[in-house]
Amino acid sequence: MGKKIREKMSKAESEVKRLENIEKEFFEIDEEAKLAKISLSFLNPSSVFDLNYVSKKPVFSDDFTDWIKSAFDIVPSKYKIDLEVEFEDMQGFKEDELLEIFKLNTMLEYRTLKNSASKRNKIALGLLGVGAVFFVIMLVVNRVWTNDSLFKQIFSYVSDIATTVTFWEALTILVVENKEDRDYRLGLLSRFHSISFHRK
């Protein structure tokens, strides 16, 4: 009986250890250098561009941006990423040209996210203000409205919900969403060890 339990525990520990390093089952990981190599393959550069934009430089599609986000999520943050993007047809683009387009798009994505975060923060501060107003009104009304009635109970209930919801939404934006957004933005600046674009 004891032997079977030990075997089960050993197997469970082995599975947990494997789960902790599951990324190694999918990607080339250099533990010494703390590097993870991620390769993406596409038909041609047009596959990663948003062709609806008529712009001086090509703008990356949301799908390609999602691939980059996914790479940050799949590979633990302790590893820097060697990103390799290969195409069956280069469509006349040179490797250096695609690398420059990638750098410019990364800067554009960073700036866009930063502006978006700034707008969300203003909304969150506004919600905190609204929540504070509801809270003060609730305190004043409960102090002034001394007799207990159905209308007072309804008012207190609605004010309590309004206060809680606005504070909760504000904190979700300021704490959770900002943390996720900041991690991704920092990743754009610091997680790449190398980036290469070449023909398959």
Side-chain angles (χ1 to χ4, degrees), residues 131 133-165:
V133 168
F134 274 120
F135 183 68
V136 169
I137 290 171
M138 184 175 64
L139 289 177
V140 169
V141 169
N142 283 335
R143 179 65 68 96
V144 174
W145 201 341
T146 52
N147 64 324
D148 199 18
S149 67
L150 178 63
F151 289 115
K152 183 185 176 184
Q153 287 177 0
I154 292 171
F155 178 83
S156 295
Y157 182 71
V158 170
S159 297
D160 186 43
I161 289 174
T163 302
T164 304
V165 168

Side-chain angles (χ1 to χ4, degrees), residues 60-75:
F60 282 143
S61 67
D62 290 339
D63 286 340
F64 185 70
T65 304
D66 286 342
W67 279 109
I68 302 300
K69 279 184 188 174
S70 177
F72 289 169
D73 292 336
I74 288 173
V75 177

Side-chain angles (χ1 to χ4, degrees), residues 46-58:
S46 292
S47 304
V48 302
F49 298 148
D50 190 332
L51 302 178
N52 293 314
Y53 279 110
V54 181
S55 52
K56 293 178 184 177
K57 299 277 185 185

